[in-house]
Amino acid sequence: MDKLVIDGPCSLSGQVQISGAKNAALPILMGCLLAETPVKLSNVPHLKDVTTTIQLLATMGVQVLFDEQLNIEIDASEIVTKEAPYELVKTMRASILVMGPLLARFGEAKVSLPGGCAIGSRPVNIHIEGMQKMGAEIKVEQGYIIAKAGKLKGADITMEPVTVTGTENLMMAAVLAEGRTVLRNAAREPEVSDLANFLNKMGAKISGIGTSTLTIDGVESLKGVAYSVIPDRIEAGTYLAAAAITHSCITVTHANPEHMESVLEKFREAGAIVTTTQDSITLDMRNRELKPVNIVTDPYPDFPTDMQAQFVVMNVLAEGEGNVEETIFENRFMHVSELIRMGADIKVTGNTAQTHGVKSLTAAPVMATDLRASASLILAGLAAKGQTVISRIYHIDRGYELIEEKFHKLGAHIYRAN
């Protein structure tokens, strides 16, 4: 099994190009099931979860083609099965997102209950209850959600708590439903808006994009279009955090600063100089003192849970005390025990990680437990003295494209080993 090896401490410089957003690409790929003619997608990241999604679509009979620029053409005009099997779904929670499109366009869906990172409870009841409100008959048996419907009907649905995949699934179900659907307490993440913009380009009628109330007027059919996926704000934030931790200066390109305002504000609070253009962000931490910051994770536009682990590492190396409170997932401090092995001073009480800054970290063999925890361990390894070996890095391949190549280009001493 592959490992990542990092010889630290490292100093970084230069530019790194940000890939398309995984959390936008996956629902958009699922949304291609709604189109009666081929869809052409660009800026899709080459990740394990994307490969799994394409495999899932292919098992249904969807035709998938790649060109020389690695753009993807997806033709779902005909499919042979409306099932998402456990073998593919078990590794990826986003698989549940085939349910809405299949039910809306074909009137049936059989979807295995999903897997993914072990970072806490993420129930699918909101998806099921919302589609039942739209007229679907749904039962759960032998680990599968089995859904059937004639023509879905528009409904007024309040989601509690706010849910990204729930918003996306119900939005995709609603675009072909009869009448008007109103989704209240909808997720406002840029990735949700990207899916909505994609669906609208195909002919859907969704208004309120970017707000907590989405109004969807059902249409008869959707047609394929060409569409480019938004940049990955979490990937961008991770590289910027690496620059902060190593007291370096780097620029991330092909990024969208507007999607990252809460994170950039915390970088500035931590002592970094942050400058932006329309599609790039430069963070300069050279000869500057890293300051601890207090963070509470919350749904967009507040601070994202997917940047929490990276900022814990920043706080570990900052002078003084910092608090990071996790309100989204109840099991998302699994990276803490590994950071402590490297010399971090962290105390977890309930859903808060309190850090006391240390002068430096020391390399150690560590184990990745989930996607963003993997990223935090790489950041720690970049700053630590000695050789850090990170095992179980298949987690990181689910969410970061060519991560060791990109860090190597910035000057990091990092490589993959068996």
Side-chain angles (χ1 to χ4, degrees):
M1 193 176 289
D2 282 2
K3 298 178 172 67
L4 277 179
V5 181
I6 305 166
D7 292 315
C10 301
S11 181
L12 308 178
S13 64
Q15 296 186 350
V16 61
Q17 182 173 318
I18 299 305
S19 301
K22 175 189 87 127
N23 290 340
L26 299 184
I28 286 171
L29 284 165
M30 312 290 190
C32 292
L33 287 166
L34 291 161
E36 294 184 353
T37 54
V39 176
K40 292 184 177 179
L41 298 178
S42 57
N43 204 36
V44 176
H46 303 284
L47 302 169
K48 185 68 175 74
D49 279 6
V50 169
T51 304
T52 301
T53 302
I54 290 170
Q55 286 179 316
L56 176 58
L57 294 174
T59 64
M60 295 179 185
V62 175
Q63 299 296 309
V64 183
L65 298 172
F66 299 86
D67 68 12
E68 307 81 49
Q69 284 77 43
L70 296 175
N71 297 318
I72 304 174
E73 181 174 305
I74 295 173
D75 183 355
S77 54
E78 295 181 18
I79 67 171
V80 296
T81 179
K82 291 92 177 177
E83 180 176 339
Y86 172 73
E87 291 71 32
L88 289 170
V89 172
K90 65 183 178 182
T91 62
M92 189 181 67
R93 287 202 53 81
S95 307
I96 188 76
L97 291 173
V98 298
M99 185 174 156
L102 288 176
L103 200 54
R105 185 165 165 223
F106 301 103
E108 59 181 298
K110 182 180 179 183
V111 183
S112 173
L113 289 167
C117 287
I119 54 174
S121 173
R122 296 191 274 189
V124 297
N125 61 301
I126 294 172
H127 305 239
I128 293 171
E129 290 164 8
M131 290 183 204
Q132 285 173 329
K133 275 196 170 184
M134 297 167 74
E137 294 179 7
I138 300 177
K139 57 186 177 181
V140 179
E141 59 184 34
Q142 296 180 316
Y144 278 83
I145 303 167
I146 300 169
K148 292 194 174 176
K151 183 79 170 170
L152 290 174
K153 303 280 196 292
D156 196 307
I157 301 167
T158 300
M159 292 170 286
E160 191 59 55
V162 62
T163 159
V164 170
T165 54
T167 301
E168 292 168 340
N169 223 350
L170 296 176
M171 179 166 58
M172 288 192 282
V175 292
L176 296 180
E178 193 176 284
R180 172 170 287 184
T181 299
V182 180
L183 299 180
R184 304 186 191 277
N185 199 32
R188 298 164 58 190
E189 273 72 3
E191 297 78 13
V192 177
S193 297
D194 204 32
L195 173 64
N197 290 330
F198 166 67
L199 296 172
N200 274 356
K201 194 171 182 185
M202 291 203 298
K205 293 182 179 177
I206 305 168
S207 59
I209 297 171
T211 75
S212 58
T213 303
L214 294 172
T215 302
I216 303 126
D217 290 307
V219 298
E220 281 297 314
S221 64
L222 298 181
K223 303 297 182 192
V225 293
Y227 195 80
S228 180
V229 176
I230 60 169
D232 194 318
R233 60 195 170 102
I234 305 303
E235 185 194 17
T238 300
Y239 285 107
L240 294 174
I245 287 164
T246 59
H247 294 274
S248 302
C249 178
I250 72 161
T251 298
V252 295
T253 63
H254 294 70
N256 188 335
E258 289 184 7
H259 294 164
M260 299 178 61
E261 288 177 1
S262 63
V263 173
L264 298 184
E265 182 184 321
K266 287 297 177 182
F267 279 128
R268 292 187 178 104
E269 196 180 313
I273 298 172
V274 179
T275 53
T276 63
T277 69
Q278 188 176 344
D279 62 355
S280 74
I281 306 164
T282 299
L283 186 145
D284 191 349
M285 201 70 191
R286 292 171 297 183
N287 304 312
R288 299 180 69 80
E289 181 186 320
L290 191 58
K291 302 171 186 173
V293 293
N294 294 327
I295 285 166
V296 179
T297 63
D298 260 321
Y300 191 86
D302 293 327
F303 193 89
T305 180
D306 281 353
M307 282 299 300
Q308 174 258 104
Q310 297 89 315
F311 269 78
V312 167
V313 182
M314 284 173 56
N315 275 356
V316 160
L317 288 163
E319 192 172 326
E321 292 186 2
N323 286 300
V324 175
E325 184 181 344
E326 173 60 62
T327 71
I328 308 296
F329 297 121
E330 72 274 13
N331 194 23
R332 208 167 199 181
F333 283 129
M334 292 189 287
H335 47 288
V336 165
S337 59
E338 300 300 292
L339 293 173
I340 289 171
R341 286 169 49 79
M342 299 177 73
D345 186 351
I346 312 171
K347 181 182 179 184
V348 175
T349 307
N351 65 340
T352 301
Q354 184 179 53
T355 57
H356 297 266
V358 296
K359 293 284 186 198
S360 62
L361 295 174
T362 305
V366 290
M367 182 176 69
T369 52
D370 63 68
L371 173 53
R372 305 308 170 185
S374 308
S376 74
L377 296 177
I378 290 176
L379 301 189
L382 293 172
K385 295 175 180 175
Q387 188 173 88
T388 298
V389 179
I390 306 170
S391 59
R392 291 178 65 183
I393 60 164
Y394 56 84
H395 286 292
I396 208 150
D397 292 333
R398 289 185 47 232
Y400 290 89
E401 183 178 30
L402 303 173
I403 192 164
E404 68 269 28
E405 291 180 31
K406 290 186 178 184
F407 268 124
H408 185 73
K409 188 181 175 189
L410 291 171
H413 307 294
I414 180 172
Y415 60 94
R416 191 173 290 235
N418 293 323

